[in-house]
Amino acid sequence: MTGPHLNATRRSRELGQLAETTVDVLVVGGGVTGCGTALDAASRGLSVALVEQADLAHGTSRWSSKLVHGGLRYLATGDVGLALESARERGLLMSVVAPHLVRPLPMVIALGPDVDPRAGLLVDVGHRVGDVLRRVARTPRGTLPAPRRISVAETTRLLPAVRRDGLRGGLLNWDGQLEDDARLVVALARTAASYGAKILTRTSAVSASGDGAVLRDELTGQTTAVRAKAVVNATGAWADRLAPETRLRPSKGVHVVLPAAVLGHPAAALTVPVPGERNRYVFALPHPDGLVHVGLTDDPLDGPLPDVPVADEAEIAFLLATLSRGLELPLSRSDVVGSFAGVRPLLAGAEGRTADLSRRHAVVRGDDGLVTVLGGKLTTYRRMAQDVVDTLTDVPCRTASLPLVGAVGPGAPAPARLVRRYGAEASDVAALAAADPRLLEPVAEGVPVLGVELLWGVLAEGALTAEDLLERRTRLSFVDAWHTSARAAAEEALQGGRAPVV
Ligand SMILES: Cc1cc2nc3c(=O)[nH]c(=O)nc-3n(C[C@H](O)[C@H](O)[C@H](O)COP(=O)(O)OP(=O)(O)OC[C@H]3O[C@@H](n4cnc5c(N)ncnc54)[C@H](O)[C@@H]3O)c2cc1C
């Protein structure tokens, strides 16, 4: 299925139409939760508009670890219900909803001197219980292989940089990994648009209640009051700005980006326990384009929330030092080629560390009728959306059997990189180079992104600025040097994309 084209022309047309109608559902927030909600409501036959103050995936949804979890860590805290929900959602994403964007990821805990045999045994048991959840969730063995203990030789083959002295082998487990979290959000938004949803970026809700909102067009500064039969606040960590009664406990998480060569091009994720902590790990996750993402911190964020949080030096040092404990050679600051930080929209609950707070979600209706969806995580966005829309209509939810754009289709031949990122739409993206084959080349020296990707971002994926292209349609901003060297190409694609392209 070729999805609908989101672009500047469509945005201004639909923004104008919005003032003249009453939509069934107005969704505020263009992260995974808001876009998932827009798709759920539109696919049940409701008229929907979604407004996002900046760009699709501008908030937390682009800063995740990109894991589609089976919920193993929730088992460790005894929350079997949440673990099972995660395992079910993981299975749906990998088999029906977005199999083109989620792949199986081998993850290894190296049994080195830092992991005593008792702790190793507990992890092994946890992996096996996780595998039972996989079975209950009906995710086939072919999608996620069985966990197993692996030899020293296999551990060092998968993880060439792992620390050798005292190594007794490893514990191998499988989970889901997203190609790119921002791509999932864009695919959700475009699939929602294919059911008629209006997707309006650079449009913020200044205020909202159960029957409408005041919107500001961030490109012109113009404000408009719009009416809706229901309004959903899906603004994540910023939810209390529209719903002040909301109780959130935001928590900051940081990753650093390393060239895969520094870790010998690992074929699996390496998981290293945080010394002195139970059930907390630092992991090095292999990513395409020769990168490894190392995460993760989890610390309460007090005071006003930044629009875009950044990693500080102490957080970067913590990640490098903890991961180095599991490596043959320690990492240094000069190995880092980029870093990023996000804010988890956690539900306020018991006191204590944010790392221990539940990742459950809640749907809350305010006195003014505004429906706010809170908490949760990327893996369970579909279930969150279902729970929200269930409060608005009796029509049954359809999203468990609904593939996103790119998930199914003829899959005509196209460069492997495009198939990995665009699935069945890869040949449509490649076709943009028909008149200019140079568009199938990298946009700058040493940068993996092809010219057609930038153009497709402008023509079909609603990118309105160079930052939209560099930070969210492609992830060139993961590496500081790529971001700088590709900027001119992004500006050029914006100019080219505004001209009619056949
Ligand atoms: C470091 C980190 C790692 C994580 N890793 C994982 C992981 O591996 N797997 C997993 O399942 N989960 C993970 N999570 C959790 C997951 O990323 C979040 O739960 C999820 O992305 C939240 O999505 P959201 O749509 O609710 O919020 P957001 O993505 O923040 O979206 C909210 C949007 O609302 C917009 N907005 C705010 N105010 C307004 C307004 N007034 N008008 C219009 N728009 C507005 C914002 O610009 C933003 O785009 C991680 C979280 C963090 C922080």
Side-chain angles (χ1 to χ4, degrees), residues 28-35 51-69 74 181 203-206 234-238 241-242 251-255 296-297 307 340-345 373 375-380 384:
V28 185
V32 74
T33 311
C35 292
V51 292
E52 158 58 50
Q53 64 183 1
D55 182 27
L56 296 172
H58 176 260
T60 304
S61 297
R62 68 175 149 141
W63 299 136
S64 80
S65 304
K66 291 142 197 69
L67 291 174
V68 176
H69 310 261
Y74 312 123
D181 42 11
T203 308
S204 53
V206 180
T235 56
W238 297 269
R241 295 200 184 151
L242 292 176
S251 134
K252 183 179 174 194
V254 164
H255 290 84
L296 179 67
T297 62
D307 186 35
F340 58 89
V343 184
R344 294 177 191 81
V373 51
K377 60 208 164 75
L378 196 129
T379 306
T380 53
M384 293 169 73

Side-chain angles (χ1 to χ4, degrees), residues 73 75-78 118 122 273-281 353 355-356:
R73 60 173 291 193
L75 278 182
T77 54
R118 221 183 115 253
L122 279 176
V274 176
E277 303 244 15
R278 251 189 80 232
N279 197 25
R280 254 199 93 189
Y281 300 91
R353 301 183 328 160
D356 296 331

